[in-house]
Amino acid sequence: MRESQCLPPVLYSGDPLPSLIMCCDVVHPTIVKTVLWPDERATGAFAARLATLPALHNAFIAIDGELGAGKTTLVRHLLRALGVTGRIKSPTYAVVEPYTLAQLAVWHFDFYRFNDPREWEDAGFRDIFASPGLKLAEWPDKAAACLPTPDLSLQLTVADDESRQVRLSARSVTGHALLAAALETSP
């Protein structure tokens, strides 16, 4: 089974076991945590912690949420913490913005305008996702049929007081390491 054909999480209602994902004959328990980011400073602090983790260098992180939820803001904080200088623009129209750092290649995807799965092949995204480096994807649901299972998924929801409720789902060994370390010093 190809990774892009991975099965969705299987939820066990009433069972204390975590959700499971089966992919390529490997079963990974999905670890889910919910945190509150009261302001943009908290978003930046999370991104800064994430940027220090070695597991990030070959991770795929999916970031979902409504317009204005803070997806691009999170990515900008993370890219700054990783050492990106200069303008960091949203790839809404370009679909992907690449960044090359001394020790790390990063691709920031925004699939908001993604409509045709043929774009996936034509643009070479399969090759990007198969290569080493950090992949960050906003609006991953728009390209879900093509994407591999993310290591870490973040679902951002804006609360009435403008804080962000963030549901983090670790879906691989890499995702588990990222989630555990990133939340280790969370308030």
Side-chain angles (χ1 to χ4, degrees):
M1 182 182 300
R2 288 187 353 213
E3 272 194 272
S4 62
Q5 297 174 326
C6 291
L7 301 172
V10 177
L11 299 175
Y12 295 93
S13 60
D15 191 318
L17 294 175
S19 301
L20 295 178
I21 291 180
M22 293 183 8
C23 181
C24 308
D25 300 323
V26 176
V27 177
H28 297 287
T30 298
I31 307 297
V32 179
K33 299 285 183 183
T34 301
V35 297
L36 184 70
W37 294 341
D39 52 28
E40 188 175 333
R41 196 169 60 234
T43 304
F46 176 83
R49 281 191 304 276
L50 204 56
T52 66
L53 306 176
L56 186 71
H57 289 214
N58 276 310
F60 168 33
I61 299 177
I63 309 162
D64 217 342
E66 295 299 318
L67 286 171
K71 298 177 297 295
T72 303
T73 299
L74 171 62
V75 171
R76 283 186 178 129
H77 280 292
L78 181 56
L79 292 173
R80 287 278 181 242
L82 289 168
V84 173
T85 58
R87 185 167 180 241
I88 298 173
K89 56 186 179 173
S90 174
T92 300
Y93 293 99
V95 181
V96 65
E97 287 291 334
Y99 299 91
T100 304
L101 302 167
Q103 302 293 320
L104 178 64
V106 180
W107 292 271
H108 176 198
F109 294 87
D110 185 330
F111 291 113
Y112 183 72
R113 298 187 187 286
F114 187 82
N115 294 314
D116 185 350
R118 289 177 297 191
E119 290 178 69
W120 180 264
E121 291 294 334
D122 294 345
F125 294 159
R126 180 182 309 280
D127 294 334
I128 292 172
F129 275 89
S131 67
L134 173 60
K135 291 84 172 180
L136 304 164
E138 297 182 43
W139 299 97
D141 57 315
K142 303 276 188 166
C146 301
L147 290 172
T149 301
D151 296 299
L152 186 63
S153 295
L154 286 78
Q155 174 69 45
L156 283 65
T157 305
V158 181
D160 291 340
D161 64 359
E162 294 301 311
S163 65
R164 302 305 192 259
Q165 180 176 335
V166 185
R167 184 173 186 261
L168 301 115
S169 302
R171 301 173 181 272
S172 70
V173 173
T174 297
H176 293 186
L178 291 171
L179 181 60
L183 295 180
E184 196 169 80
T185 58
S186 275

